[in-house]
Amino acid sequence: MKRPPGITPAARSGTGGAPEPEPRSTRKTPAAASPRTAVPGTTARKRAEPDATTEPIALPPLGVAETEAAPAAGPSPSGAPTAPSAWARLTGSHGARPSGLGARTDSGSRTPAPAEPALEPPLTARSARARLRAARRARKQYERSEVRRFTSRSRRRRNLWIAAAGTIAALVTFVLVGVFSPLMALRTIEVTGTNRIPAADIAQALDGQLGTPLPLVDLAEVKRELSEFTLIRSYVTESRPPDTLVVRVIEREPVGAIASAAGFDLVDAAGVVIQSSADRPAGYPVVTATGGASGAGFQSAVAVVWALPEGIRSQLDSVAAATKDDVTLTLAGGARVVWGNAERSEYKAVVLSALIVSHPVGSVTEYDVSSPDSAVVR
């Protein structure tokens, strides 16, 4: 077997150094002396070639670069083609060693070859400027996010203050517009609850407030004008936007007539004269009390009259009260009712109603309910 061409002793050694010694007793040489010595009677032979059948083929280690074992195939710097490497001659490939094959370890296994890094395009001035702009934008965005994260509490507090200030400003604006705007000026005065007093007279008395915004109506002036009407016991004003003032009047309720020098004065429970006339007012009893309308007897007589039911009150002719504990009623039929003081007046009124039903007026002359638990009929 012939030696593969191109494999030198240095390549078989795998180290590129000294040649590997040939194995012993593998080469057969003639017993003659040096080939330079001619043998008589024989012709000169050519240079003896070694018997390759006894020489093993040593492959180069996989970890050793092909460039160290033999020059790579391809043109040389001078332009002449070079001999292919040993690996290329053995594998039949004329390129580099297949990727993924690493160096062989002592145990015989191969280590993976390191991955080749991806080649980046060359950096130009334009791409450098683009990268710089992108880095600046990323930096600004990061700074803004950090600022928002660290100022979230202060921004929330600021928003609350802004909302409170806006609400207050809106309320102030609404109040100012309602107070000073001519749209809220008073144009109509409406009077309700009157019976004896003409409503037009009350509206005319308050016409000085016309044109004034409703929130600025002078209530003291309204009170002063309405106090001139003696028949008004109380009143209530109500603003009805946008331009109406409602006056609800409660008139004095007459309770009886008091004899006077001019005739009779119709008074209410407070003794205020509602009207005066020479004739006795129909439907109202005559009240006679010591001390007049300001005495204690008058107040007791008025309390008794208000406690009577409507059926008995319509039959009442007169009420007399010498003192607060001596109230006497006179009915239209001439019957007399001894009442006493104003205490338990509601209960006494119930007892009197029962007595009148059982003993009608005209059949008796006196009903005594001063002690309602033991009423007496005479």
Side-chain angles (χ1 to χ4, degrees):
M1 181 176 179
K2 295 183 179 182
R3 181 186 305 168
I7 297 180
T8 62
R12 287 201 310 270
S13 65
T15 58
E20 183 180 2
E22 296 181 357
R24 296 179 181 179
S25 66
T26 58
R27 184 188 300 271
K28 295 181 179 181
T29 57
S34 168
R36 295 179 181 179
T37 304
V39 178
T42 63
T43 60
R45 294 182 303 176
K46 295 182 179 179
R47 183 179 179 179
E49 293 181 0
D51 191 359
T53 57
T54 60
E55 295 181 1
I57 299 173
L59 296 178
L62 293 177
V64 180
E66 288 80 8
T67 56
E68 295 181 358
S76 63
S78 61
T82 59
S85 63
W87 178 263
R89 289 195 303 271
L90 291 177
T91 59
S93 61
H94 298 280
R97 181 181 301 177
S99 60
L101 296 179
R104 184 185 296 276
T105 59
D106 295 339
S107 60
S109 62
R110 292 190 181 95
T111 58
E116 296 182 358
L119 297 179
E120 296 183 358
L123 184 65
T124 61
R126 182 175 182 180
S127 60
R129 287 193 296 269
R131 290 185 181 182
L132 180 59
R133 287 194 296 269
R136 287 177 179 175
R137 286 195 297 268
R139 180 65 181 179
K140 289 181 180 180
Q141 184 177 2
Y142 173 75
E143 291 177 352
R144 284 196 296 267
S145 63
E146 289 297 305
V147 169
R148 290 182 63 84
R149 184 167 66 91
F150 283 102
T151 59
S152 60
R153 182 175 299 179
S154 61
R155 286 187 288 106
R156 188 183 305 111
R157 186 167 53 249
R158 181 186 59 190
N159 293 338
L160 291 177
W161 279 107
I162 291 175
T167 303
I168 294 175
L171 290 176
V172 170
T173 303
F174 177 77
V175 170
L176 292 178
V177 170
V179 170
F180 298 104
S181 174
L183 299 176
M184 301 289 289
L186 178 61
R187 292 183 176 86
T188 304
I189 298 176
E190 181 179 341
V191 181
T192 61
T194 59
N195 187 13
R196 289 185 171 87
I197 307 173
D201 294 348
I202 298 177
Q204 185 177 1
L206 300 177
D207 60 359
Q209 302 294 326
L210 295 176
T212 305
L214 286 179
L216 299 181
V217 171
D218 191 354
L219 299 180
E221 181 65 24
V222 172
K223 180 179 180 180
R224 186 165 50 252
E225 294 292 341
L226 295 181
S227 63
E228 301 294 333
F229 297 89
T230 56
L231 293 180
I232 297 177
R233 187 179 71 181
S234 62
Y235 69 93
V236 176
T237 59
E238 176 187 350
S239 297
R240 185 180 296 171
D243 57 359
T244 303
L245 178 66
V246 180
V247 181
R248 305 184 186 279
V249 175
I250 300 177
E251 292 184 342
R252 296 185 181 274
E253 187 69 24
V255 67
I258 298 177
S260 65
F264 294 91
D265 294 332
L266 189 63
V267 297
D268 66 346
V272 177
V273 178
I274 296 176
Q275 72 179 47
S276 298
S277 63
D279 300 328
R280 175 183 172 177
Y284 297 99
V286 176
V287 181
T288 303
T290 303
S294 60
F298 178 80
Q299 298 299 325
S300 295
V302 169
V304 170
V305 172
W306 283 118
L308 293 174
E310 186 63 30
I312 299 177
R313 190 188 304 173
S314 62
Q315 301 179 34
L316 187 61
D317 181 67
S318 64
V319 180
T323 62
K324 65 177 183 178
D325 297 326
D326 185 16
V327 178
T328 303
L329 309 179
T330 303
L331 300 179
R336 185 168 175 266
V337 180
V338 179
W339 197 272
N341 55 29
E343 295 179 1
R344 304 176 68 185
S345 291
E346 290 79 6
Y347 181 49
K348 292 178 181 180
V350 173
V351 172
L352 179 59
S353 299
L355 291 176
I356 292 176
V357 171
S358 59
H359 301 82
V361 178
S363 62
V364 296
T365 59
E366 186 178 275
Y367 302 94
D368 190 351
V369 293
S370 58
S371 297
D373 295 332
S374 58
V376 178
V377 176
R378 300 181 180 91

